[in-house]
Amino acid sequence: MMEFFQAIYDWIIGFFGIGNFIKIVNSGDYSTFLTYKGFTSIIGPLFPIVLVIEILTALVLRKFNAIDYKVSFFSYVLNSFVGRFISIAAIVFCIGLFEPYAIFKTTFTWYWFIYGYIVWEFAHFIYHYLGHKVRLFWCLHSTHHAPQAMNLSVSYAHFFLEGPYADVIRTTVCILLGVNPPMLFVIMFIDGFYGGFIHIGEHLMKDGKFGFLYKYILTPSHHRVHHAKNPMYMDTNFCNLLNIWDRVFGTYQPEVGNLPIEYGITREMKPNSFLDSYFGEFACLLKDVYSAPGLKNKFLYIFMPPGWSHTGDHKTASIARNEFMESQREFQQKEFNTFKKETVM
């Protein structure tokens, strides 16, 4: 029985990430809180604590739906045993492999930190963009977009290989562009914390725009847009904190007040199925590759955007968004012509 309670205790400590905090308190050396290790021991647990508060708030407001947390919960359970260790190994491997080829070296100073964070956002944009535009990578990323509601638990909904894939790209780009490795780990910590926080749901943060900061950084409102399956919103807001690269590459999209967000992915899914959310895109890809005529088409199904078809009947996100925007322009033009005609009469 004691072993059972010990296992429960260890799981709680692991989930909330308070192991280091408890060790520092037990040691009596509170000056450790002024170090990087101490800082992360304080900041790290905030995210799971806010997640619990979010769930409790939903319960109090009678808006809690266990189905909204199903994919995230099972993804967390599965990934906690596998994905995390692969990601750490991938990061260490990439640093060791590519650091000798860096175009220059930076130091851990405030001005190089700004440079490093901008480079990190560029690397994150590349990984995230490819995750939406290359079908194989979309198979890894789609689990994160499968939930049909937004809450903090969605940040745990990932296919176990997406983390290593993301870290290989982001670490490689950063190291080759001279980001100092210790500084990179600090950036990763900040990015991981904020990247989880921007999934906060409407129960705790209805607006999610952060006032005047909405123009300068990516907020929960922006990330809700990213998770939408509305044609106007699809494949936008790929950055995490700084919106500079979304603005540079034309993928920046603010939330439109009269267009409610519809969460999820456009593929018809089995209702509330974790297996479909986790493996469904792989099954669809294998089916398309198997049925495709010729080696070229099989290859293209793997690396072309989701929705590409060898028949030419493409239903990619870009096409859906362009068609929607064109229909909006035609509607507005028609409304304008009607108004003009009535005014003249």
Side-chain angles (χ1 to χ4, degrees):
M1 182 62 71
M2 289 300 297
E3 292 180 356
F4 172 77
F5 286 114
Q6 182 63 44
I8 295 296
Y9 173 80
D10 292 340
W11 181 88
I12 293 174
I13 295 299
F15 176 76
F16 285 98
I18 57 178
N20 286 333
F21 182 87
I22 293 175
K23 288 179 181 178
I24 293 173
V25 172
N26 290 337
S27 72
D29 183 13
Y30 300 119
S31 63
T32 306
F33 285 122
L34 299 177
T35 65
Y36 173 72
K37 179 181 179 180
F39 177 76
T40 56
S41 72
I42 296 173
I43 300 298
L46 291 180
F47 178 78
I49 289 173
V50 175
L51 170 59
V52 171
I53 293 173
E54 183 182 58
I55 293 174
L56 293 175
T57 302
L59 286 169
V60 170
L61 297 176
R62 297 183 179 180
K63 294 182 178 180
F64 179 80
N65 188 349
I67 296 300
D68 294 340
Y69 297 85
K70 181 178 179 180
V71 174
S72 303
F73 172 76
F74 284 110
S75 296
Y76 169 76
V77 171
L78 182 59
N79 296 350
S80 62
F81 292 103
V82 185
R84 179 174 57 180
F85 300 103
I86 300 177
S87 287
I88 294 173
I91 293 170
V92 173
F93 174 78
C94 289
I95 291 175
L97 181 63
F98 295 109
E99 192 173 15
Y101 304 101
I103 58 175
F104 57 86
K105 304 288 185 179
T106 62
T107 55
F108 203 149
T109 55
W110 67 266
Y111 47 87
W112 281 123
F113 183 84
I114 295 174
Y115 166 79
Y117 213 102
I118 292 174
V119 170
W120 169 266
E121 284 286 10
F122 178 63
H124 181 85
F125 180 93
I126 293 174
Y127 131 71
H128 208 171
Y129 184 87
L130 292 176
H132 283 252
K133 297 298 186 180
V134 175
R135 191 168 178 190
L136 176 62
F137 297 151
W138 170 247
C139 290
L140 301 177
H141 187 55
S142 63
T143 301
H144 185 57
H145 281 262
Q148 297 180 322
M150 179 58 74
N151 54 68
L152 285 172
S153 75
V154 173
S155 64
Y156 292 111
H158 289 280
F159 190 78
F160 79 98
L161 288 177
E162 185 188 9
Y165 144 70
D167 287 329
V168 164
I169 292 179
R170 294 184 298 196
T171 303
T172 300
V173 172
C174 287
I175 293 300
L176 288 176
L177 292 181
V179 177
N180 178 270
M183 185 167 64
L184 177 60
F185 282 107
V186 175
I187 292 172
M188 284 180 170
F189 174 78
I190 297 173
D191 177 83
F193 180 82
Y194 188 77
F197 174 75
I198 56 178
H199 293 88
I200 194 167
E202 289 87 349
H203 300 319
L204 280 185
M205 191 173 291
K206 182 68 175 177
D207 182 70
K209 291 186 176 181
F210 293 173
F212 74 94
L213 292 176
Y214 189 69
K215 295 182 179 180
Y216 307 105
I217 66 173
L218 286 172
T219 66
S221 172
H222 289 113
H223 203 65
R224 291 168 188 173
V225 167
H226 174 75
H227 274 262
K229 61 181 180 181
N230 310 62
M232 181 177 181
Y233 290 153
M234 287 193 297
D235 288 4
T236 59
N237 299 344
F238 291 110
C239 290
N240 206 45
L241 173 59
L242 308 176
N243 61 35
I244 177 174
W245 298 113
D246 279 308
R247 291 186 181 276
V248 168
F249 295 111
T251 54
Y252 175 75
Q253 174 61 56
E255 185 176 355
V256 179
N258 61 353
L259 184 60
I261 293 174
E262 300 175 29
Y263 295 111
I265 59 180
T266 56
R267 174 178 65 84
E268 185 175 346
M269 298 177 60
K270 296 178 181 178
N272 308 319
S273 171
F274 165 71
L275 291 178
D276 193 20
S277 299
Y278 209 79
F279 299 107
E281 288 296 322
F282 283 103
C284 291
L285 174 58
L286 290 173
K287 181 180 178 180
D288 285 339
V289 170
Y290 178 79
S291 303
L295 186 61
K296 177 182 177 181
N297 285 318
K298 295 181 185 297
F299 181 84
L300 289 174
Y301 267 113
I302 296 174
F303 294 102
M304 290 298 284
W308 180 89
S309 174
H310 71 278
T311 64
D313 183 25
H314 307 313
K315 298 178 181 178
T316 64
S318 297
I319 291 176
R321 189 168 194 268
N322 290 337
E323 289 178 349
F324 175 81
M325 299 300 285
E326 182 61 31
S327 67
Q328 288 294 102
R329 283 191 289 268
E330 292 177 356
F331 175 78
Q332 291 172 0
Q333 184 63 46
K334 185 182 293 185
E335 289 287 298
F336 175 76
N337 291 338
T338 301
F339 172 78
K340 186 176 180 181
K341 183 177 179 180
E342 292 176 349
T343 303
V344 171
M345 293 176 62

